Amino acid sequence: MIDLNIAVNDLFNLSPWPIIKFFFLVALLIYIIFAFILVRQVSVMDKIFHSRFNVFIKLISIALFVLSVVVLLIVLKFL
Amino acid sequence: MLFLNFKLLIINLNMPDLYTAKPTEKPPKTHRKTSVFDRLKNVESPFSAFVVKPDGVSFENQRRGEAVLLVLRKHWITNLGWVTMGIFLVFMPLIFVEFPVITLLPTGYKLVVFISWYLLLIAFLFEKFLIWFFDVGVVTDQRVIDIDFYGLIYKEVSEANLEKIQDVTLQQIGAIRTVFDFGNVIIQTAAETNKIDFEDIPHPQRVSRLLEDLTR
């Protein structure tokens, strides 16, 4: 039989930070997927309409993707 | 009498021509279009909403020898809403830094919250910019093309040959549009796409005049 008092005590002593960290990781994973879609979308847009400036836009989208991966790694390592 | 007529005929045959009309050559069809093209002042700025005769611009299904005369985007003033919101959101964490929920967080979590905030903000601003930048109207010496992006995953490309253009309507409604000289140019065509809209483009009168010149 589980002692209800111990269970309640354990629940209250449970640290919320791992749960918060988990939610951060899920949100960042979603963001990485979004950033990847953005890179693909910029490539599609470039194919439809190409100008000299598109190279910079592509670089920005790739930088955003890399940045989101870096943030995910930071959260994994330091939180 | 017969002799006299014969003599006159001989004289007529031997007389040099006083005036000979030169055969008129019809200028090739592209010549008129080139003259309209030449009258336009070259605008090269990549962020311009009214790019004239741009270099290094191409689009999907561009025909060989097809020259891009105009690239049209929405007037910059239409971006004022999201730009203002972006500036406001940049400074938002400075307001929230004193909120109790934030102050309770450990330093590492605080940092991640701020980084996440700015990541979201960059994504929001970049997406808005992309939609503005790639939502273009293109006028070439052969046709008009309207490339529309509604969000990042929905695109619509409509085009019509210049010969199929039936009517060009100009809409400039409201004080802001009049002051900043932007509006809609609606092109009625006999093509599969019967209407092409260039929305909120700068100098709509110049565009409609150019289209009329090109189709005349």
Side-chain angles (χ1 to χ4, degrees), chain A residues 16-21 24 28 31 34 37-38 41-42 44-54 56-58 60-62 64 67-68 71 74-75 78-79, chain B residues 44 46-47 55-60 71 73 104-106 108-109 112-113 115-116 119-120 122-123 126-127 129-131 133-134 136 138 147 149 152-153 155 157:
Chain A
W17 303 119
I19 301 160
I20 293 170
K21 186 182 172 179
F24 266 127
L28 278 167
Y31 191 90
F34 167 78
I37 292 169
L38 209 63
Q41 191 58 32
V42 169
V44 172
M45 285 168 158
D46 178 56
K47 219 179 271 176
I48 293 167
F49 176 77
H50 176 79
S51 71
R52 270 190 241 160
F53 188 69
N54 289 16
F56 296 104
I57 295 173
K58 264 187 185 176
I60 292 168
S61 68
I62 292 165
L64 192 66
L67 187 71
S68 58
V71 172
I74 289 171
V75 171
F78 296 107
L79 283 194
Chain B
E44 268 292 330
F47 288 119
D55 250 0
V57 165
S58 60
F59 56 90
E60 209 176 31
V71 174
R73 293 189 180 94
L104 281 173
L105 288 174
Y109 281 88
V112 171
V113 166
I115 290 171
S116 308
L119 275 180
L120 285 173
I122 291 167
F126 190 52
E127 193 207 320
F129 170 77
L130 283 180
I131 291 165
F133 188 80
F134 285 103
V136 288
V138 182
I147 303 165
F149 283 97
L152 282 176
I153 47 168
K155 65 165 198 231
V157 182

Side-chain angles (χ1 to χ4, degrees), chain B residues 117-216:
Chain B
W117 175 265
Y118 285 112
L119 275 180
L120 285 173
L121 184 60
I122 291 167
F124 166 73
L125 295 176
F126 190 52
E127 193 207 320
K128 290 282 180 193
F129 170 77
L130 283 180
I131 291 165
W132 173 78
F133 188 80
F134 285 103
D135 192 355
V136 288
V138 182
V139 179
T140 74
D141 56 352
Q142 295 178 19
R143 55 189 166 152
V144 284
I145 302 125
D146 185 22
I147 303 165
D148 286 324
F149 283 97
Y150 303 101
L152 282 176
I153 47 168
Y154 181 71
K155 65 165 198 231
E156 196 181 280
V157 182
S158 34
E159 58 164 81
N161 283 338
L162 291 175
E163 305 90 66
K164 300 270 176 134
I165 293 176
Q166 291 179 322
D167 184 44
V168 179
T169 315
L170 184 126
Q171 271 183 351
Q172 205 167 21
I173 308 158
I176 295 170
R177 282 181 173 79
T178 312
V179 169
F180 290 99
D181 189 22
F182 70 100
N184 303 341
V185 171
I186 301 155
I187 304 158
Q188 291 284 343
T189 73
E192 204 177 323
T193 318
N194 58 8
K195 206 171 94 175
I196 289 177
D197 282 1
F198 290 158
E199 283 173 20
D200 294 332
I201 54 163
H203 318 304
Q205 274 168 335
R206 269 161 76 180
V207 175
S208 90
R209 218 177 305 141
L210 173 82
L211 286 171
E212 278 165 16
D213 277 356
L214 286 169
T215 51
R216 202 178 294 150

